[in-house]
Amino acid sequence: MNFELSKEQQMIKHMVHEFAEEVIRPRAIDIDRLAKFPDDIFKQMGELGLLGIPFPEEYGGSGGDTLSYAIAVEEIGRVCGSTGLSYAAAVSLGASPIHYFGTEDQKKQFLKPLAEGASLGSFGLTESNAGSDAGGTVTTAVLQDDFYVINGEKCFITNASYAETLIITAVTVKNENGKNTISAFIVPANTEGVKITSNYNKMGMRGSDTAEIVLNNVSVPKENLLGEKDKGFKQFLYTLDGGRISIGALGVGIAQAALEKSLQYAKGRKQFGKSISSFQAVQFKLADMAMEVELARNMVHKAAWLKDQGKPFSKEAAFAKLFATETAFRSANQAVQIHGGYGYMREYEVERYLRDAKLLEIGEGTSEIQRLVIARELGC
């Protein structure tokens, strides 16, 4: 694998970096404080083509690759975890399943506006009793004439309140062993019977919309079945593998931000007559942070590269997601420590990094699930 970015990837990195610094950073503290989704920023991101980076031009995308997209997630996450999370969810979960499994008509009707940034998508998988055990899904979809009628509830769904297109997983039948067989459906958010509420008061990622979806006799045409019938479980496993790359990239962004803030503060903070960056105890913290950020970035880039090459990447995606998100939490925690009492204050931002990073160890498969995935890939 070539670790040198192409000219196109370098251009994307530069463009997103400038946008993040000029547009997102000045509002990052308020996005967290007010817990308000920055829909105007997402409109600008759509105009820049960021929401369509990994999708073909014929479907409204930019024709980029997974690595370019991961670079963009990192740059956005470096200045605002909330915006980075909603961006990653919009692309990896809201739009990518249609790109992976959709028919030509579905791609033209549903993927194109998502890739063009004209609207957002959301992925409804998690339920109150079906988180890590997604096979425990109880939402049902019953075929009646030419329509599927869907009933159930989804929780902790990112971007749902602002989405026009929902992808919903539901049980369509039980197999011969009595286990749920799951399919996926494209559900326009304005369909009768869809109710979306966002009443969560979250610890971190406060500016990223998190909602509950209630589906009460929601009727969609049978043509809205996404992919093969009863293949939804395998489909969302593949979707989550790709999503883990983006969450890993988001972890790298937060970890990088924690390192930059800590280094800047340590050089300027004087104690005992000299900068605290000259103290070995602080130097070792900074050295460990820098090393882990670089390792995490390389893991994310390798997983993205493997996906772009059409090679197996499940294990590497789990490596990247696990290590990068735990690196984000460790780095943010050390950043608070280096800042001392100031690190506990909101205006210094590092406490936000710590709160935001914690979710990354939970969403898109917990750290424990990543270790199970890796063990399974090892043949255990």
Side-chain angles (χ1 to χ4, degrees), residues 308-325:
D308 287 333
Q309 300 302 309
K311 299 177 183 292
F313 67 95
S314 293
K315 180 178 65 177
E316 287 77 12
F319 280 160
K321 197 273 184 185
L322 175 62
F323 187 75
T325 58

Side-chain angles (χ1 to χ4, degrees), residues 211-276:
E212 179 184 52
I213 304 173
V214 177
L215 305 112
N216 183 18
N217 291 325
V218 173
S219 180
V220 297
K222 65 181 182 181
E223 290 78 19
N224 284 29
L225 174 70
L226 180 60
E228 296 182 53
K229 184 183 178 183
D230 308 333
K231 298 294 185 182
F233 192 83
K234 288 185 177 180
Q235 289 175 191
F236 72 64
L237 287 180
Y238 183 84
T239 298
L240 291 177
D241 280 343
R244 285 165 185 162
I245 296 173
S246 65
I247 297 301
L250 180 54
V252 174
I254 292 175
Q256 179 69 41
L259 172 61
E260 290 173 2
K261 284 276 189 182
S262 298
L263 187 57
Q264 179 186 30
Y265 180 83
K267 288 181 176 179
R269 173 68 167 168
K270 296 288 195 303
Q271 289 286 275
F272 305 102
K274 54 185 177 180
S275 164
I276 65 170

Side-chain angles (χ1 to χ4, degrees), residues 77-288:
R78 190 178 64 87
V79 299
C80 179
S82 292
T83 306
L85 178 64
S86 282
Y87 172 56
V91 177
S92 292
L93 302 182
S96 287
I98 303 174
H99 172 53
Y100 298 149
F101 310 113
T103 64
E104 191 67 20
D105 287 342
Q106 288 172 343
K107 290 177 183 179
K108 288 178 179 177
Q109 182 179 354
F110 297 108
L111 176 60
K112 199 167 187 291
L114 300 178
E116 289 174 343
S119 63
L120 289 178
S122 187
F123 185 61
L125 170 65
T126 303
E127 300 180 5
S128 58
N129 289 311
S132 296
D133 178 18
T137 297
V138 297
T139 295
T140 60
V142 179
L143 184 61
Q144 296 181 1
D145 298 324
D146 291 330
F147 293 84
Y148 279 97
V149 179
I150 306 173
N151 284 279
E153 298 182 8
K154 302 291 182 177
C155 61
F156 307 142
I157 309 303
T158 305
N159 295 344
S161 302
Y162 294 84
E164 293 185 16
T165 302
L166 309 173
I167 296 172
I168 300 294
T169 56
V171 177
T172 45
V173 71
K174 289 186 180 291
N175 64 20
E176 61 274 9
N177 298 319
K179 292 186 177 181
N180 290 338
T181 302
I182 298 172
S183 301
F185 300 88
I186 301 172
V187 180
N190 62 359
T191 305
E192 184 177 354
V194 175
K195 182 181 179 182
I196 300 173
T197 56
S198 182
N199 298 316
Y200 298 116
N201 188 11
K202 298 180 296 182
M203 166 183 160
M205 299 293 189
R206 290 172 52 77
S208 175
D209 176 67
T210 307
E212 179 184 52
I213 304 173
V214 177
L215 305 112
N216 183 18
N217 291 325
V218 173
S219 180
V220 297
K222 65 181 182 181
E223 290 78 19
N224 284 29
L225 174 70
L226 180 60
E228 296 182 53
K229 184 183 178 183
D230 308 333
K231 298 294 185 182
F233 192 83
K234 288 185 177 180
Q235 289 175 191
F236 72 64
L237 287 180
Y238 183 84
T239 298
L240 291 177
D241 280 343
R244 285 165 185 162
I245 296 173
S246 65
I247 297 301
L250 180 54
V252 174
I254 292 175
Q256 179 69 41
L259 172 61
E260 290 173 2
K261 284 276 189 182
S262 298
L263 187 57
Q264 179 186 30
Y265 180 83
K267 288 181 176 179
R269 173 68 167 168
K270 296 288 195 303
Q271 289 286 275
F272 305 102
K274 54 185 177 180
S275 164
I276 65 170
S277 64
S278 65
F279 299 145
Q280 192 177 71
V282 175
Q283 290 175 347
F284 281 9
K285 291 182 189 298
L286 293 168
D288 286 344

